[in-house]
Amino acid sequence: MSAPIKMVLDLDTGIDDALALAYVLGCPDVELVAVVCSYGNVTVGTATRNTLALLRMLGHPEVPVYRGVDRALGAKGEFRPPAGVVRIHGENGLGGQELSGWCYAAPRSGVDYLAQTLDEADEGLRYVPTGPLTNLALALRATSVDARALPRVTFMGGALTVPGNVTPCAEANIHNDPEAADAVLRSGLPTRMVGLDVTHRVVLTRAETARWRALGTPAGRFFADMTDHYIGVYEKSNPHMGGCALHDPLAVAASIDPSLVGCHAANLRVDLDGATRGRTVCDPDRLRVAEKDCEVALGVDVPRFLEVFLAHVERALT
Ligand code: RIB
Ligand code: CA
């Protein structure tokens, strides 16, 4: 038996982040080493609380959780999710499904933890951010290691060939901190971008959540109700999709098994000004550089991903 893949997640724990967490915990090939939390779908405090409670619900209270930064680079006040985001993920980020009990995060800062993890990382480490890239941008500033030598980071965010989901150009995770995303994408760090180009193609329906409810476990009921809230939002905003997009689970899946996505190699940057602020684009200054540091996912094996997703999540909820 080969050694498990060591993974660190960086979540702004809303609904699809929770699904990504369940995917990882249900995957027999992965050891979840820690979770760093971010603002985005909710405040960083709520993301931290949600993560701790979900880990306990899913039988893994031993996984350490670190509280990351509470705002974008250069932002003046703590990030508060706008009304549109509250509508999508619910007031508590989990579709209004109540979590009981008090939980405490490890006292250490998420950025310190991440910087040390990058300093010590061997090539097997998988770090997967599925929220804004602020924690990573700050950790890259703090680490002494050359970003080009670090293991590839698979992140959920961006849109190269399709419109954004916050503005016509910007996807939510990049929109929340374009400066951080630009710093990461131009640092030389090897990355794999799992953006709306592919995540809008992997869709979950109420037929699958009914299966989770039928498991008869508290976690099965919680995840079914939480995800039905998310599907309900999509039924209104994107009725043509027939369900909800599995953004964050696809990113963790592609990190574990890159053969699930087909990629185009590119050097990217993020537009920081004007109407296109937050757009991920090919960096004009590096078009002729032969080495490309980002693998942009433009294709996805939908049936294979959904099969693995359902198997892993069902295992985690049982
Ligand atoms: O655009 C989708 C992304 O924004 C997902 O990561 C979702 O959880 C939100 O953070
Ligand atoms: Ca997310």
Side-chain angles (χ1 to χ4, degrees):
M1 214 173 78
S2 51
I5 293 168
K6 290 189 185 297
M7 181 169 280
V8 174
L9 294 173
D10 186 337
L11 309 176
D12 59 330
T13 315
I15 296 173
D16 60 325
D17 301 80
L19 292 169
L21 183 65
Y23 184 106
V24 170
L25 294 174
C27 176
D29 308 325
V30 176
E31 176 194 341
L32 181 58
V33 176
V35 183
V36 179
C37 291
S38 173
Y39 68 90
N41 292 322
V42 286
T43 65
V44 70
T46 303
T48 307
R49 187 192 94 116
N50 287 351
T51 304
L52 285 158
L54 289 167
L55 283 167
R56 202 173 49 176
M57 179 193 298
L58 297 173
H60 287 277
E62 78 287 358
V63 176
V65 176
Y66 300 100
R67 185 184 165 114
V69 282
D70 66 3
R71 66 193 71 182
L73 300 179
K76 293 215 169 56
E78 182 180 350
F79 177 91
R80 304 264 164 207
V85 174
V86 173
R87 240 188 335 271
I88 296 170
H89 292 270
E91 203 67 59
N92 70 349
L94 300 175
Q97 300 311 304
E98 266 321 308
L99 294 161
S100 58
W102 292 96
C103 307
Y104 298 95
R108 191 162 171 204
S109 123
V111 174
D112 285 356
Y113 167 78
L114 199 52
Q116 188 186 346
T117 302
L118 296 181
D119 273 338
E120 295 168 356
D122 62 38
E123 65 180 56
L125 179 79
R126 313 286 168 91
Y127 162 66
V128 188
T130 64
L133 294 173
T134 322
N135 290 327
L136 177 56
L138 290 171
L140 285 175
R141 277 187 202 166
T143 176
S144 52
V145 180
D146 181 347
R148 284 170 296 199
L150 288 168
R152 189 172 295 281
V153 168
T154 301
F155 67 95
M156 192 284 135
L160 192 65
T161 61
V162 297
N165 58 358
V166 179
T167 74
C169 298
E171 179 279 332
N173 290 336
I174 306 297
H175 180 263
N176 276 333
D177 195 347
E179 279 74 17
D182 187 56
V184 168
L185 288 172
R186 292 198 296 114
S187 67
L189 176 76
T191 53
R192 182 179 295 111
M193 174 170 128
V194 177
L196 302 180
D197 308 272
V198 282
T199 64
H200 269 168
R201 292 189 228 166
V202 289
V203 170
L204 192 77
T205 73
R206 290 182 192 269
E208 285 86 38
T209 58
R211 269 170 56 182
W212 298 344
R213 197 171 287 106
L215 291 171
T217 62
R221 278 190 293 277
F222 185 97
F223 271 72
D225 292 346
M226 172 188 80
T227 309
D228 279 355
H229 168 93
Y230 197 45
I231 293 173
V233 173
Y234 270 85
E235 283 166 350
K236 291 200 186 95
S237 62
N238 297 57
H240 60 283
M241 283 178 63
C244 67
L246 294 169
H247 303 289
D248 296 347
L250 184 59
V252 294
S255 172
I256 298 164
D257 179 1
S259 76
L260 285 168
V261 290
C263 292
H264 171 75
N267 289 320
L268 299 183
R269 62 146 221 223
V270 177
D271 282 353
L272 300 179
D273 299 307
T276 62
R277 180 169 162 78
R279 176 175 67 158
T280 43
V281 283
C282 290
D283 183 351
D285 295 339
R286 292 189 293 156
L287 276 180
R288 292 171 59 221
V289 175
E291 298 78 36
K292 310 291 185 199
D293 47 40
C294 186
E295 294 178 0
V296 185
L298 295 180
V300 53
D301 187 338
V302 177
R304 192 154 68 86
F305 164 70
L306 286 177
E307 189 186 328
V308 179
F309 170 81
L310 290 171
H312 289 356
V313 173
E314 207 161 303
R315 196 174 298 118
L317 301 181
T318 304

